[in-house]
């Protein structure tokens, strides 16, 4: 293997769990009650699809502009007070990959601004050879486009790249691109038909690093 | 159509959303923090599978006996203070079905004790011709067994029965049995491959009743 492509939210940073807290708070601000449970319904969907689901459930009470504004307020305050929550083993894994000649990329559906900000704030930007975001491809996960672009930018065949993912659509996208799919679970636990797509499953990034070390021996 | 088979949790009663609150509280009692988000990982799984997922995430800190004990304590107290939360349109739909000669059954994976208790506490037991629970079949949802049993007990062909479901495994089970699958969403929103299994989708039970009224005109 020559390269590792990371999904960001839920893989590098513990941001998915934070979304539940944020949505609970936002719902109360908007007068529709705690709506953290709505992550259930919108997980792995595009923003457009998610907005449709919210409108379907809450009608005119759901105003997307307000929702997004409150979301920014919540996250800005949270990050300022607590920093970006980094997943166990991220620093160790990145250091190991760099020292062992792996190319490293991120393939995130999040916006370029947010991705760059998170990488900078946590001091990991220097490790990444390529940063691929949703705005660089026309078809979002579960389509393979974002992983195909990442591999192309790294000048590697997908079959020589590990892709680390936590979400269903992400796992499907990486598999469809032909990458070796590594699942590190966050909020989603793969059902049996998705488990079939996995090359390996590790409880956290540190265990993936230990696996790579074993391979080298 | 001659009959309607109801799933219980999330369809008749708003118990799935309550589980998130309960699990948050239980996690704090057990010293592992709010774990309502774990419903993500265990949704549609059997108890055995769910316990495995908890043990994987929390190790020895997760003691299932304590978890179940706290769960009973939470629900008993909640139901005593608030009653069972009934989903919009349940009473109206049941009354309509009875007045129009439909046979009515429940097909729930929950235990018989809990199902009977909920039906009694909400005063809807009288509407049900048959009550099918998880203990009556060897294979749980998404296998078709529970819906096949329900139809057999009602002496109806599955193709003459509506099945009302909210969860992925429930929708798959009802479809596999050959029922006309009606989705009334709760916490889960069907992705495109599951949408294909649906006969109809209604936002709540009241709208399903209105649909049936229109058919009769």
């Amino acid at each position: 293997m020559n390269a590792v492509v990371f999904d960001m939210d839920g893989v590098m940073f513990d941001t998915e769990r934070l979304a539940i807290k944020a949505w609970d708070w936002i719902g109360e601000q908007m007068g529709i009650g705690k709506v953290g449970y709505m992550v259930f319904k919108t997980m792995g969907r595009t923003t457009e699809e998610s907005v449709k689901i919210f409108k379907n459930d809450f009608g005119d009470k759901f105003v997307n502009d307000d929702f997004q504004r409150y979301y920014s307020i919540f996250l800005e305050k949270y990050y300022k007070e607590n920093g970006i929550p980094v997943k166990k083993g991220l620093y160790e894994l990145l250091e190991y990959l760099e020292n062992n000649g792996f190319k490293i990329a991120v393939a995130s559906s999040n916006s370029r601004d947010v991705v760059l900000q998170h990488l900078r704030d946590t001091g990991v930007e220097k490790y990444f050879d390529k940063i691929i975001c949703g705005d660089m491809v026309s078809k979002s996960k579960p389509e393979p486009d974002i992983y195909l672009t990442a591999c192309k930018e790294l000048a590697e065949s997908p079959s020589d790249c590990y892709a680390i993912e936590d979400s269903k659509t992400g796992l499907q996208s990486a598999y469809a691109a032909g990458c070796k799919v590594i699942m590190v679970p966050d909020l989603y636990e793969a059902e049996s038909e998705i488990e079939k797509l996995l090359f390996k499953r590790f409880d956290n990034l540190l265990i993936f690093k230990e696996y790579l070390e074993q391979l080298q021996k």
Side-chain angles (χ1 to χ4, degrees), chain A:
Chain A
M1 289 296 138
N2 304 322
V4 178
V5 185
F6 289 78
D7 173 46
M8 187 180 81
D9 293 293
V11 166
M12 296 170 54
F13 309 121
D14 200 5
T15 39
E16 301 286 53
R17 205 169 274 104
L18 195 55
I20 300 176
K21 281 190 194 184
W23 291 19
D24 272 349
W25 179 79
I26 296 166
E28 291 189 325
Q29 305 310 306
M30 293 177 73
I32 55 178
K34 291 184 177 184
V35 294
Y37 68 85
M38 288 291 287
V39 284
F40 266 114
K41 297 197 165 197
T42 60
M43 211 175 187
R45 309 299 177 106
T46 63
T47 305
E48 201 182 8
E49 290 167 342
S50 301
V51 169
K52 215 173 142 186
I53 291 169
F54 266 100
K55 283 200 184 294
N56 188 62
D57 282 20
F58 299 105
D60 292 341
K61 284 183 193 162
F62 179 76
V63 180
N64 191 42
D65 284 352
D66 289 349
F67 188 89
Q68 300 302 337
R69 194 168 45 82
Y70 280 122
Y71 204 4
S72 300
I73 291 168
F74 181 94
L75 290 179
E76 199 175 326
K77 185 170 183 293
Y78 185 92
Y79 293 148
K80 209 169 176 179
E81 288 170 2
N82 306 279
I84 317 280
V86 175
K87 284 280 204 159
K88 183 179 179 174
L90 178 66
Y91 291 110
E92 295 89 334
L93 174 59
L94 288 171
E95 195 64 26
Y96 175 85
L97 294 173
E98 187 176 66
N99 292 338
N100 287 273
F102 284 87
K103 296 177 184 173
I104 311 175
V106 58
S108 169
S109 306
N110 211 324
S111 72
R112 175 158 294 263
D113 287 353
V114 171
V115 174
L116 288 175
Q117 192 68 51
H118 281 17
L119 299 183
R120 277 174 201 150
D121 287 350
T122 54
V124 299
E125 196 189 8
K126 60 179 177 181
Y127 294 105
F128 289 90
D129 299 299
K130 297 290 172 184
I131 293 165
I132 317 300
C133 300
D135 56 357
M136 290 174 71
V137 293
S138 55
K139 288 185 194 159
S140 59
K141 301 176 185 178
E143 297 300 323
D145 304 38
I146 194 161
Y147 278 99
L148 289 173
T149 302
C151 295
K152 201 176 165 191
E153 290 273 321
L154 291 173
E156 292 292 341
S157 157
S159 60
D160 289 327
C161 295
Y162 292 117
I164 315 182
E165 273 287 356
D166 65 305
S167 75
K168 183 170 179 172
T169 51
L171 295 163
Q172 290 170 319
S173 170
Y175 181 81
C179 296
K180 297 274 180 298
V181 186
I182 306 292
M183 179 174 190
V184 177
D186 183 49
L187 294 182
Y188 164 72
E189 187 63 49
E191 55 268 50
S192 56
E193 76 257 30
I194 299 295
E195 252 172 17
K196 289 173 192 153
L197 312 182
L198 307 185
F199 178 70
K200 294 274 175 188
R201 179 193 182 284
F202 299 106
D203 284 350
N204 61 58
L205 298 173
L206 207 53
I207 304 177
F208 178 43
K209 183 200 143 209
E210 289 163 7
Y211 166 79
L212 295 175
E213 285 174 329
Q214 284 297 323
L215 283 188
Q216 280 205 317
K217 283 182 184 166

